[in-house]
Amino acid sequence: MADDDRWQDEPDDDYNPVDDDDAESLTVSCPSCGAEIYEDAVACPNCGTYVTADTSVWSGRSGWWILLGLLGIAAVILALTAM
């Protein structure tokens, strides 16, 4: 057996077919019933409520920030139309 063919016969100790991120799934509480569900679940298996991620720009903002943003947009529009 040639020396360059020997590396193919030896097992690779670093090879792991299961990714560490896939081995452990994170769970969160259902917003409706409070049951523990997988983070990437579409619906709660306990109560059937659909679980969606709140990706809105306005989520978590107080009313003052929203008002300030809208006033800023209006000021820019008025400035551009006055030109």
Side-chain angles (χ1 to χ4, degrees):
M1 176 188 280
D3 286 335
D4 25 328
D5 291 335
R6 195 178 84 208
W7 66 272
Q8 293 175 352
D9 295 335
E10 295 175 2
D12 187 7
D13 293 334
D14 296 333
Y15 176 71
N16 186 2
V18 178
D19 203 14
D20 288 341
D21 294 336
D22 294 337
E24 183 178 323
S25 296
L26 299 176
T27 59
V28 295
S29 296
C30 172
S32 182
C33 69
E36 289 293 316
I37 59 173
Y38 288 116
E39 185 178 42
D40 56 350
V42 175
C44 175
N46 190 36
C47 67
T49 302
Y50 285 99
V51 182
T52 59
D54 193 8
T55 57
S56 172
V57 175
W58 305 109
S59 65
R61 306 278 187 212
S62 67
W64 289 106
W65 283 107
I66 295 172
L67 180 62
L68 184 63
L70 292 174
L71 287 175
I73 291 171
V76 168
I77 291 172
L78 287 174
L80 290 175
T81 57
M83 293 178 138

